[in-house]
Amino acid sequence: MTPDIKLKSETPVRNIHTLLFDLDNTLYPKSCGLASQVSARITKYMSNFLNLPEEEVDKIRNHYYKTYGLTLKGLMMNHQVSTDHYLDFVHGGLDLKSHIKTDERLRQCLMGVKKSVKRVIFSNADIGHCKRVTKELGIEDCFEAWLDYLELLDFSKPHPMAYQMAMKKADTTDAAGCVFFDDVVENLVEAKKAGMFTVLVGGKSDDEHIDYCIEEIHEFVNIFPEVMELSSKQE
């Protein structure tokens, strides 16, 4: 499938050395239903912790998300919620096997990337969740570095500092050689402002900060063929 190319001008000469991958709804499709399970567990946690009916939780969740960028951050700021307690309930109790299975095609794509190009997980989820999800996908050994919520904390995406932290994790100061894949437009907008190439996964957008739109993550090999070993390029 041909990716939707959003670049408005002639494509510049590229020297891509770092691929930054969001995790949830990016390395696996939103259609698998895992996001719905996560949402349900957040609602359940808040209902239990705040002693509120579940139908009253959504308004608070939306307010915290819009105000702080993450529901967890709102709970921490206003209710002194323990990060570990929240993450253990929301992510630790997920039934991943009902939604995610080994993705051999994705594994081949990632393993086909040149050794000189770094592959980094860059997620607002915690490292435990990232490790469990990538294990289910069969790609846990495909990344050189991981940047998660427990490191980002107050600087989680889309905070501008998050992208500087991601580059530091990848041991580079050259944003122009970085590509960021995410399913959230707001996160990609800040990545573009930082100087990175941006790829929206699983959606469409006319935002000028989005360079490419693709339906599934596997298509990155067609957008950036220069990062692939010759024998790994896909038609």
Side-chain angles (χ1 to χ4, degrees):
M1 184 176 296
T2 302
D4 183 7
I5 301 176
K6 306 296 293 183
L7 285 173
K8 304 297 191 298
S9 58
E10 183 179 351
T11 302
V13 175
R14 307 186 298 198
N15 180 27
I16 305 302
H17 50 68
T18 302
L19 304 179
L20 301 167
F21 296 94
D22 174 49
L23 182 86
D24 291 311
N25 300 324
T26 297
L27 292 182
Y28 61 83
K30 187 174 184 179
S31 60
C32 77
L34 183 58
S36 296
Q37 188 185 160
V38 171
S39 180
R41 292 191 67 79
I42 293 173
T43 296
K44 181 70 173 177
Y45 180 89
M46 291 181 66
S47 176
N48 292 343
F49 191 88
L50 301 178
N51 194 27
L52 290 173
E54 291 190 8
E55 56 268 23
E56 295 182 20
V57 167
D58 282 347
K59 183 177 180 180
I60 299 173
R61 279 186 62 184
N62 291 336
H63 171 67
Y64 286 168
Y65 185 81
K66 291 179 180 179
T67 303
Y68 302 102
L70 288 173
T71 301
L72 171 56
K73 192 173 294 184
L75 288 170
M76 292 170 63
M77 295 291 292
N78 293 279
H79 304 284
Q80 293 72 55
V81 163
S82 162
T83 302
D84 290 341
H85 189 255
Y86 174 92
L87 294 174
D88 285 347
F89 183 91
V90 173
H91 286 157
L94 291 173
D95 177 16
L96 296 179
K97 293 185 181 297
S98 295
H99 302 280
I100 298 176
K101 60 183 179 180
T102 300
D103 189 339
E104 185 58 36
R105 179 185 169 203
L106 178 55
R107 179 176 179 80
Q108 290 178 0
C109 290
L110 291 170
M111 295 303 287
V113 173
K114 294 176 180 177
K115 300 302 181 185
S116 59
V117 178
K118 291 187 178 178
R119 300 156 298 179
V120 179
I121 291 288
F122 178 25
S123 172
N124 279 350
D126 61 286
I127 190 66
H129 177 67
C130 294
K131 293 284 189 177
R132 289 189 292 271
V133 168
T134 54
K135 182 176 181 180
E136 289 297 327
L137 289 169
I139 58 173
E140 69 270 28
D141 59 340
C142 294
F143 305 95
E144 288 79 30
W146 307 68
L147 181 58
D148 77 310
Y149 173 75
L150 298 178
E151 284 194 66
L152 291 166
L153 294 177
D154 290 340
F155 303 123
S156 54
K157 298 176 294 183
H159 194 290
M161 183 61 69
Y163 306 91
Q164 301 305 313
M165 293 174 71
M167 286 193 290
K168 184 176 180 180
K169 180 67 69 169
D171 194 26
T172 182
T173 57
D174 176 31
C178 297
V179 182
F180 180 43
F181 303 87
D182 203 308
D183 65 300
V184 179
V185 171
E186 290 79 7
N187 293 343
L188 292 164
V189 167
E190 291 302 323
K192 190 63 181 179
K193 290 179 180 178
M196 300 177 182
F197 282 99
T198 55
V199 183
L200 179 66
V201 182
K204 297 280 189 179
S205 176
D206 291 325
D207 192 293
E208 64 181 1
H209 298 89
I210 309 300
D211 293 323
Y212 301 94
C213 298
I214 57 179
E215 291 189 12
E216 56 183 4
I217 190 62
H218 314 74
E219 297 172 41
F220 81 84
V221 303
N222 298 319
I223 306 176
F224 301 100
E226 67 267 38
V227 307
M228 305 299 295
E229 298 290 356
L230 291 178
S231 60
S232 301
K233 293 180 183 178
Q234 298 190 356
E235 297 299 331

